[in-house]
């Protein structure tokens, strides 16, 4: 995957929320889980893990949607309900943004895919690492290193 030119600006479908990315992704992912199929209204969700200090909301106030889980918060536009980004509760280091919210998502390609156990039979991605569910926590440092090495 080519490194995107920073900053990357983006926003929701209606434009009330505008956001900016000022740091390179740590890793990029596609998730085939049935929850992401519902949230994305599609076959899988896309994520770019962005260091929190490199992520900024420029305008608007995202609201929590999805499952309203105690462990994982999904943030949406209050007006058009676009699914903008997700944060693990208690994890301050990164934000998983949905790359198709960016004005230019042409640079994006998923490096890791998760929950292939739940994927639609035809749904394939160019990810080079596939996991039946989520990778174990101890796999992430190696995936981040491998992602940086292939850029
Ligand atoms: Zn909106
Ligand atoms: Zn998922």
């Amino acid at each position: 995957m080519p490194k995107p030119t920073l900053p990357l600006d983006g926003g929701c479908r209606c434009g009330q929320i505008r956001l900016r990315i000022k740091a390179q992704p740590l890793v990029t992912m596609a998730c085939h889980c049935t929850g992401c199929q519902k949230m994305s209204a599609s076959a899988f969700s896309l994520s770019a893990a962005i260091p929190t200090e490199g992520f900024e909301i420029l305008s608007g106030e995202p609201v929590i949607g999805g499952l309203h889980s105690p462990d994982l918060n999904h943030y949406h536009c209050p007006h058009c309900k676009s699914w903008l980004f997700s944060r693990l509760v208690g994890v301050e280091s990164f934000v998983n943004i949905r790359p198709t919210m960016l004005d230019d998502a042409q640079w994006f390609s998923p490096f890791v895919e998760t929950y292939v156990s739940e994927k639609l039979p035809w749904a394939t991605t160019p990810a080079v690492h596939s996991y039946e569910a989520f990778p174990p926590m101890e796999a992430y440092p190696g995936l981040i290193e491998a992602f940086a090495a292939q850029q």
Side-chain angles (χ1 to χ4, degrees):
M1 194 190 88
K3 276 191 178 170
T5 305
L6 301 173
L8 287 162
D9 282 5
C12 62
R13 184 71 171 96
C14 78
Q16 274 191 20
I17 310 276
R18 292 293 296 169
L19 48 81
R20 180 167 290 163
I21 285 164
K22 297 173 292 185
Q24 294 292 334
L26 300 168
V27 70
T28 59
M29 293 168 285
C31 184
H32 297 275
C33 83
T34 54
C36 284
Q37 291 178 28
K38 288 183 190 297
M39 299 272 293
S40 65
S42 189
F44 47 81
S45 70
L46 298 174
S47 293
I50 304 295
T52 303
E53 68 272 15
F55 174 70
E56 189 183 346
I57 300 292
L58 300 175
S59 65
E61 300 243 353
V63 295
I64 289 173
L67 270 186
H68 297 248
S69 149
D71 308 318
L72 177 63
N73 286 331
H74 299 300
Y75 289 88
H76 299 249
C77 169
H79 185 66
C80 70
K81 317 297 191 208
S82 296
W83 182 25
L84 302 163
F85 60 95
S86 302
R87 301 190 74 155
L88 286 162
V89 175
V91 176
E92 303 299 326
S93 53
F94 71 92
V95 180
N96 276 334
I97 66 104
R98 307 278 91 76
T100 49
M101 297 302 142
L102 300 168
D103 299 337
D104 174 17
Q106 295 297 318
W107 55 273
F108 181 89
S109 128
F111 184 66
V112 178
E113 63 182 349
T114 59
Y115 269 95
V116 295
S117 56
E118 297 183 357
K119 80 181 190 72
L120 297 182
W122 53 265
T124 53
T125 79
V128 293
H129 297 277
S130 292
Y131 289 87
E132 286 297 304
F134 286 126
M137 282 317 278
E138 59 271 22
Y140 281 96
L143 289 172
I144 289 168
E145 206 171 297
F147 178 74
Q150 55 86 51
Q151 282 194 305

